[in-house]
Amino acid sequence: MPHTAPPALYPRALLVLTAATGAVDAVSFLALDRVFSGNMTGNVLLLGFGLVGAEARPVVQPLVALAAFSLGAALGSRLVRAAARDQASATGPRLPRVALHVVAAELCLVSALAALWPVLGDSPGKPVTSLLTALLALMMGAQTAAMRPTGLSDLSTVVITSALVTLVSPGGRDAVPRQAGALAALLGGAAVAALAVIHAHAALALAGVAVALATALVLLRHVRDADLRPV
C-alpha cells in the first residue's frame, strides 16, 4: 500500500535540488550570459525586455536558455514515460529509477564544468558561455521533468511563485513547511553561490552544486531502496 504522505527523505531531496537550482541560476546569471538556467519565467521576461531594446538586453541568450531547457524537459519526460510503461505492472516504488539517473548525470556534468571552468573561461557573451548556459538549462529541464511525476506537485525544484501563494492561502497549511523550505532553499542556494562567484570563482559555486546534487542523489536512492512511495 502506498503511504498517505510523502516520506520525509523525499521532500528533503527536492529541497536540496531546489537549493542547487538557485546556485546554478546564480552561476548562469552572474558568470555567464546574464540569463537563468532554471527560472524560465525570468528568461521570458528578459526576452521581452530584449525584444524592445530595453537597456540593450540581448535576445539570443534568453532564447538559448529557453530552447535548451525545453529540450531537456522533453528528453526527461520521454525517459519518465518510457520507464512508467516498463513498470506499469510492477509494484515497485513510484520514484522511477530514471530520476536517479538524471540527477547522477547532472552531478557528472556539474563536476566536469567545475573542473574545466578555468580552461573554458567565464566572460559573458563568448560563444562558450552560451554553450555552458545551454548545458545547465538542459540539465535543469531534465531535472524538472524527472521529478514531476514522483509525488509532490506543490514542491517544484525550479519555481517558487506557487510556494508563495500556498504560504498565504488559508487552505494550504499542511504544505507551509515545505513551501517555506523551498523558498529558503532557493534563496540560500542563490545567495551562497553568488558569494562564491563574486568573491572567489564560479568553479567554487559549481563545486557546491555538485555537493548538493550528490546529497540529493543519496536521499533519493534511500527513498527508492526503502520502497517508499511519495504521493
Side-chain angles (χ1 to χ4, degrees):
M1 294 293 292
H3 292 266
T4 57
L9 288 181
Y10 184 67
R12 289 174 188 170
L14 294 187
L15 291 177
V16 173
L17 289 176
T18 302
T21 297
V24 168
D25 271 342
V27 172
S28 62
F29 191 88
L30 297 175
L32 292 173
D33 280 336
R34 302 294 177 181
V35 296
F36 301 104
S37 292
N39 186 347
M40 292 302 110
T41 303
N43 286 335
V44 171
L45 295 176
L46 293 175
L47 178 60
F49 301 155
L51 288 174
V52 298
E55 297 183 355
R57 287 295 316 177
V59 172
V60 174
Q61 284 84 350
L63 283 173
V64 167
L66 286 164
F69 184 95
S70 299
L71 177 60
L75 293 174
S77 296
R78 290 178 69 87
L79 290 172
V80 168
R81 286 198 300 270
R85 287 195 299 269
D86 292 341
Q87 298 177 359
S89 60
T91 58
R94 290 181 58 187
L95 179 67
R97 185 177 296 277
V98 68
L100 277 66
H101 293 166
V102 167
V103 177
E106 290 182 83
L107 175 58
C108 292
L109 174 61
V110 169
S111 299
L113 290 180
L116 295 174
W117 194 280
V119 178
L120 296 173
D122 55 2
S123 299
K126 292 172 62 176
V128 69
T129 63
S130 293
L131 174 61
L132 295 179
T133 298
L135 288 173
L136 292 174
L138 183 79
M139 178 182 81
M140 290 289 98
Q143 171 188 295
T144 305
M147 295 302 153
R148 278 187 65 188
T150 56
L152 291 174
S153 59
D154 64 341
L155 180 53
S156 171
T157 61
V158 295
V159 179
I160 208 66
T161 305
S162 59
L164 293 175
V165 174
T166 302
L167 281 173
V168 299
S169 298
R173 298 305 180 190
D174 291 342
V176 164
R178 292 198 298 269
Q179 304 301 344
L183 178 60
L186 192 69
L187 177 64
V192 171
L195 284 173
V197 171
I198 294 170
H199 298 291
H201 202 277
L204 179 61
L206 287 174
V209 174
V211 171
L213 291 173
T215 302
L217 185 59
V218 170
L219 293 174
L220 291 171
R221 183 60 183 268
H222 282 308
V223 169
R224 183 176 173 85
D225 288 349
D227 196 17
L228 298 175
R229 303 177 183 212
V231 176

